[in-house]
Amino acid sequence: MHVAMASRKSPQTNRDSGDKYSVLLPTYNERENLPLIVWLLVKYFGESGYDYEIIVIDDGSPDGTLEVAEQLQKIYGKDRILLRPRAKKLGLGTAYIHGVKHATGNFIFIMDADLSHHPKFIPEFIQKQREANYDLVSSTRYAGNGGVYGWDLRRKLISRGANFLTQVLLRPNASDLTGSFRLYKKKVLENLVERCVSKGYVFQMEMIVRARQLNYTVGEVPISFVDRVYGESKLGGNEILSFVKGLLTLFATT
Ligand SMILES: Nc1nc2c(ncn2[C@@H]2O[C@H](COP(=O)(O)OP(=O)(O)OP(=O)(O)O)[C@@H](O)[C@H]2O)c(=O)[nH]1
Ligand SMILES: *[C@@H]1O[C@H](CO)[C@@H](O)[C@H](O)[C@H]1NC(C)=O
Ligand SMILES: *[C@@H]1O[C@H](CO)[C@@H](O)[C@H](O)[C@H]1NC(C)=O
Ligand SMILES: [Mg+2]
């Protein structure tokens, strides 16, 4: 991909740009995935030369994710890996709020730690952001070369359905509303997070809907999304029900 190549050619220029990228990695039982995602992040940031830090927000995972994170911190250094754990599982939305408080970068990446979001796309996000100084850049599985791999029909239908329903009800003019691999200007993220009321799966969607309301500019990067290999999926009937409830609440209140 020429985008990634271009940034690889001039790592020094990237380093000197003055921009710093804080990656928020919320984890719950990601012991198997964390070493690999961190290794890949270090690799792609290292090759492209951008300044970065990785903030691991572990919510008291019973599988020992935090201990793994501590080992990684020893390997890669305290300036690259920051640990901001919480005592118990308090949900993704508040994990981002918690993480952003400790971020020292002027840009924030939000991504899942389960390898569904491949760090190889990071240089493309940054390139896209700089193209038009976008306030946020969202991944999309539903435009360009984007796609989803490893999901069964049920999961695909749920994701498509959630997107479709939201498109119809809220018209946010973005092709992927529930994907959570995104790059934000820090100020923009702080402002959005403050206004968002929903929890769980609706949160990502509310973020982009509110971004449109505030006239923030949104760029999109097509990604291939791969289902998690290790660990268990947490998407059950309860999450679907609360997603629809949250969506209708948003519809009624915005
Ligand atoms: N800190 C924290 N992280 C969480 C919590 N819930 C989920 N995560 C993490 O958030 C990311 C996304 O969660 P996932 O379980 O992968 O959600 P998903 O991709 O919709 O569903 P599956 O991959 O099928 O399980 C992963 O890195 C999880 O480890 C939580 O309550 N607190
Ligand atoms: C929707 O997005 C497209 C391209 O991103 C843009 O050209 C168009 O003006 C947008 N429409 C609205 C209503 O925001
Ligand atoms: C966003 O832009 C629209 C159309 O230009 C305008 O009516 C609206 O007041 C703007 N909203 C904000 C929050 O600036
Ligand atoms: Mg996942």
Side-chain angles (χ1 to χ4, degrees), residues 196-242:
C196 283
V197 292
S198 50
K199 301 208 163 50
Y201 285 84
V202 198
F203 182 79
Q204 298 302 344
M205 189 192 66
E206 181 174 5
M207 291 285 277
I208 205 123
V209 169
R210 300 231 179 256
R212 288 296 191 193
Q213 286 170 350
L214 294 168
N215 295 337
Y216 283 135
T217 55
V218 181
E220 290 193 324
V221 169
I223 64 158
S224 42
F225 176 98
V226 185
D227 195 18
R228 62 163 65 245
V229 177
Y230 297 109
E232 297 207 335
S233 174
K234 292 128 202 156
L235 185 67
N238 278 346
E239 277 75 21
I240 298 168
L241 193 68
S242 64

Side-chain angles (χ1 to χ4, degrees), residues 127-175:
Q127 192 105 354
K128 171 59 79 176
Q129 192 282 323
R130 291 181 176 189
E131 225 173 79
N133 194 20
Y134 287 112
D135 293 313
L136 80 95
V137 177
S138 178
S139 63
T140 178
R141 299 162 292 183
Y142 303 128
N145 294 323
V148 172
Y149 301 90
W151 273 2
D152 57 15
L153 186 63
R154 172 176 167 274
R155 198 68 204 267
K156 281 184 182 160
L157 282 176
I158 293 169
S159 178
R160 282 279 187 182
N163 261 293
F164 178 75
L165 209 62
T166 313
Q167 298 285 1
V168 170
L169 289 178
L170 302 172
R171 303 192 178 283
N173 196 15
S175 59

Side-chain angles (χ1 to χ4, degrees), residues 37 66 86 90 99-100 112 119 127 131 151 186 189 198 216 229 250:
I37 183 105
L66 185 57
R86 301 187 296 177
L90 297 169
V100 87
D112 294 351
Q127 192 105 354
E131 225 173 79
W151 273 2
K186 187 184 185 189
L189 181 62
S198 50
Y216 283 135
V229 177
L250 263 185

